[in-house]
Amino acid sequence: MNSFIYVLTTNGVLFLISVIFWKFPPKKINRLYGYRTPKAMQNQQIWDFANTTFNQTFLMYSGFSLLGGLLLANFSVIELTWEPMVLVMLSLVVSIIKTERALNDNFTDEGKRKK
């Protein structure tokens, strides 16, 4: 498979999903769509904050992932195998960690906003 096609079908799809999440965030707490962790689903205020934070970081890091994958595809002398998928996983993990840190910094375990 062509390296550019591989990057577009992995990192490009991730970026497309992040744009969809950013443009159409979930309005109400649900179990199907959005950033769904037990802390994020405690109340509507946390849900809105968590989804906004996750969507912004996910969009940024999936964009970096796409650009990094395209650079790898452009400069690689051999066919890419696992490298774009590592960028996908890093984008997801970093977005989740940053969102959880923001939740812990801004909300208590009981779901109240910290002062």
Side-chain angles (χ1 to χ4, degrees):
M1 178 187 289
N2 185 349
S3 293
F4 283 104
I5 293 172
Y6 180 49
V7 167
L8 290 176
T9 57
T10 55
N11 305 72
V13 169
L14 182 77
F15 184 70
L16 179 64
I17 291 169
S18 71
V19 169
I20 291 170
F21 276 16
W22 179 62
K23 284 288 197 186
F24 305 103
K27 304 286 187 246
K28 295 181 182 174
I29 298 173
N30 65 73
R31 296 199 180 274
L32 297 175
Y33 180 69
Y35 184 77
R36 302 173 319 266
T37 61
K39 184 154 188 162
M41 296 175 76
Q42 280 183 344
N43 61 44
Q44 189 66 39
Q45 183 183 21
I46 297 175
W47 175 261
D48 293 336
F49 179 84
N51 278 284
T52 300
T53 303
F54 178 76
N55 292 342
Q56 289 172 350
T57 57
F58 188 44
L59 182 67
M60 181 175 62
Y61 287 106
S62 65
F64 291 154
S65 171
L66 177 60
L67 291 175
L70 289 172
L71 285 172
L72 279 173
N74 191 35
F75 294 115
S76 71
V77 292
I78 58 172
E79 199 167 313
L80 297 177
T81 55
W82 53 269
E83 296 88 351
M85 289 307 292
V86 169
L87 293 174
V88 166
M89 291 304 296
L90 282 173
S91 298
L92 288 169
V93 168
V94 169
S95 297
I96 291 169
I97 289 171
K98 286 188 154 290
T99 303
E100 286 300 313
R101 279 198 182 144
L103 285 174
N104 288 331
D105 290 345
N106 290 288
F107 294 95
T108 64
D109 290 336
E110 294 81 33
K112 296 189 187 326
R113 188 176 273 283
K114 291 182 179 176
K115 295 182 185 200

